[in-house]
Amino acid sequence: MSTSRRRFLQKLALSAITLPILPSYAISQTNSRTAPHTQKPVLRVALMGLGGYAQLVANSMQSCTRAKITALISGTPSKLEEWGNKYNVPKHSRYNYENFDDIKDNPEIDAVYVITPNSLHHSQVIRVAKAGKHAICEKPMAINAKQGQEMVDACAAAGVKLLIGYRMRFEPNTLEVVRMRNDGEFGNIKFFQGLAGFRIGDPNQWRLNKELAGGGSLMDIGIYAINGARYMVGEDPVWVTAQETKTDPIKFKEGVDETIQFQLGFSNGTVASCLSTYNMGFLDRFFLNGEKGFAEMRPSIGYGPIKGRTNKGELNHPHIPHQTIQMDEMAGIILDGKKPILPVDGNVGLQDIKIIEAIYRACATGERQELHLT
């Protein structure tokens, strides 16, 4: 994770840093297959790609009741040793990118969480599926829809689940807004606004490399506004228009977008206006407007605490690290067949990639693009 992005998101999480670990989430790092207190099976997870975000996931998982780290995959031997010692992962459960297919023979692994650069997700998830393990993949799931479909198909063929790391789809204040909308408390939804952006730092990082990232801000931070529009409105868009602005072609080279404004249209008449950027700060806001009320979330996508208000007052669900909730909920999806309030399966991720591709086409042509997501 880039330094600037880390600062952007960590500023949103300052109050969470001092939050004590909740005792009810305590779990020891043992080989036990059953969670203490609940007597439900624990999801045994291999983390792939031991970078900045994986560190946040790993730390948050120490508070999970139903998920634990049992294996590591990295191309850096020193990280495997450091993380292995820190999280009590034995040497035989530490893999590199060349030999991780051997996870098929490791009964202490149920799922692999792929947290690597975007362009690597496709091949790595397919290898995970062929090894007979469930796959959790960071967003965006792939750099194009063709790859995304192949990932979905590979997991289906192998009989394993593919979940995408959409942590906001488990966040309590977000789900409260979804509940209110589902219950008709906002009336017919008319408008959504999603602002997502920060000033990116190091120009040599992989997020500014088209071969690794597949694009620019839209792939990284803009996808939150795309996905957010879908779960806040409660519908999928049927058309998109978009405009790209680039003020620094040296830093943001060909194929790496700096700033994109895009508009989404929904079959129920709702419209969405969204902004994705790597060159403006203080952009982390969702706004939903209906005939009877509204919901505003700011911050809406940072690591928390997420804050919001509606026409009926403030949203006040207590903050728990998003990755803690996400991994416990994903354990329920994988091990119990639990149906989440908001789906996070590979098809949801594939639909976001289709929208991203349409946005890029709209920028290139200046024309409205019709969407066919199913």
Side-chain angles (χ1 to χ4, degrees):
M1 178 176 290
S2 67
T3 301
S4 61
R5 188 181 187 213
R6 189 179 300 113
R7 286 201 193 100
F8 166 74
L9 292 168
Q10 286 179 344
K11 283 179 181 178
L12 301 177
L14 285 178
S15 60
I17 292 175
T18 57
L19 190 72
I21 296 295
L22 299 179
S24 63
Y25 276 83
I27 182 171
S28 61
Q29 190 64 272
T30 70
N31 285 328
S32 173
R33 187 69 174 94
T34 305
H37 311 305
T38 66
Q39 294 303 305
K40 291 184 177 181
V42 170
L43 184 69
R44 298 166 296 186
V45 179
L47 294 182
M48 178 187 293
L50 307 183
Y53 188 68
Q55 183 68 74
L56 183 56
V57 171
N59 288 341
S60 298
M61 284 183 67
Q62 303 314 296
S63 301
C64 284
T65 60
R66 296 206 57 194
K68 67 177 180 179
I69 302 166
T70 58
L72 301 167
I73 304 169
S74 173
T76 307
S78 60
K79 285 187 177 181
L80 287 172
E81 181 176 4
E82 177 188 352
W83 286 52
N85 293 335
K86 181 175 182 179
Y87 298 111
N88 195 27
V89 175
K91 289 185 178 181
H92 69 264
S93 291
R94 305 174 193 174
Y95 303 87
N96 58 46
Y97 295 125
E98 286 71 44
N99 68 11
F100 80 79
D101 305 277
D102 293 342
I103 62 175
K104 68 181 185 299
D105 300 318
N106 191 334
E108 286 297 313
I109 300 172
D110 300 310
V112 178
Y113 195 163
V114 178
I115 314 176
T116 54
N118 304 340
S119 66
L120 303 180
H121 294 173
H122 172 253
S123 62
Q124 290 170 341
V125 165
I126 290 175
R127 287 171 67 185
V128 168
K130 288 181 177 179
K133 307 298 182 181
H134 301 289
I136 302 169
C137 183
E138 257 311 299
K139 58 81 194 165
M141 68 178 293
I143 61 173
N144 58 55
K146 179 178 181 294
Q147 287 189 355
Q149 186 65 63
E150 290 171 353
M151 293 160 69
V152 170
D153 292 344
C155 289
V160 299
K161 287 185 169 61
L162 171 58
L163 305 180
I164 311 302
Y166 288 130
R167 57 186 168 83
M168 301 313 303
R169 287 182 168 237
F170 302 108
E171 196 279 319
N173 287 309
T174 299
L175 291 180
E176 176 63 12
V177 171
V178 170
R179 182 202 65 76
M180 292 177 69
R181 186 208 66 227
N182 287 341
D183 288 349
E185 295 186 34
F186 303 131
N188 292 328
I189 303 302
K190 294 296 186 180
F191 177 74
F192 172 81
Q193 182 186 52
L195 305 178
F198 62 96
R199 295 182 64 86
I200 199 165
D202 180 11
N204 298 313
Q205 63 182 280
W206 71 262
R207 284 181 175 82
L208 296 177
N209 180 329
K210 186 179 186 302
E211 295 303 312
L212 290 174
S217 71
L218 190 64
M219 282 286 197
D220 182 27
I221 195 74
I223 195 172
Y224 284 105
I226 293 169
N227 198 261
R230 297 175 65 196
Y231 62 69
M232 293 285 278
V233 173
E235 301 280 347
D236 284 332
V238 294
W239 59 259
V240 60
T241 56
Q243 307 81 39
E244 180 178 4
T245 303
K246 186 173 291 191
T247 63
D248 187 349
I250 296 176
K251 186 172 187 177
F252 304 100
K253 298 177 175 59
E254 181 69 25
V256 179
D257 48 287
E258 173 188 328
T259 300
I260 292 180
Q261 298 176 74
F262 59 95
Q263 301 78 42
L264 302 171
F266 299 79
S267 60
N268 62 1
T270 305
V271 291
S273 176
C274 301
L275 175 68
S276 167
T277 184
Y278 267 161
N279 205 25
M280 286 180 265
F282 312 106
L283 290 176
D284 186 355
R285 178 180 183 264
F286 285 174
F287 180 78
L288 187 71
N289 182 264
E291 290 180 328
K292 297 180 181 178
F294 73 90
E296 180 184 35
M297 309 194 75
R298 184 166 59 181
S300 57
I301 59 175
Y303 293 152
I306 299 301
K307 296 183 179 180
R309 64 189 180 98
T310 73
N311 53 294
K312 295 188 176 182
E314 300 291 323
L315 299 171
N316 55 14
H317 285 275
H319 173 72
I320 297 172
H322 299 169
Q323 297 77 12
T324 302
I325 301 174
Q326 172 191 315
M327 296 308 293
D328 274 341
E329 288 296 314
M330 286 185 168
I333 295 169
I334 291 173
L335 299 177
D336 307 336
K338 181 178 180 180
K339 185 177 180 180
I341 295 172
L342 296 173
V344 292
D345 57 79
N347 286 317
V348 174
L350 176 58
Q351 289 166 339
D352 279 348
I353 298 301
K354 290 180 178 179
I355 296 171
I356 286 174
E357 287 187 331
I359 290 172
Y360 283 141
R361 288 198 303 271
C363 287
T365 65
E367 298 177 354
R368 170 169 145 166
Q369 301 293 310
E370 303 301 318
L371 293 169
H372 305 283
L373 300 183
T374 56

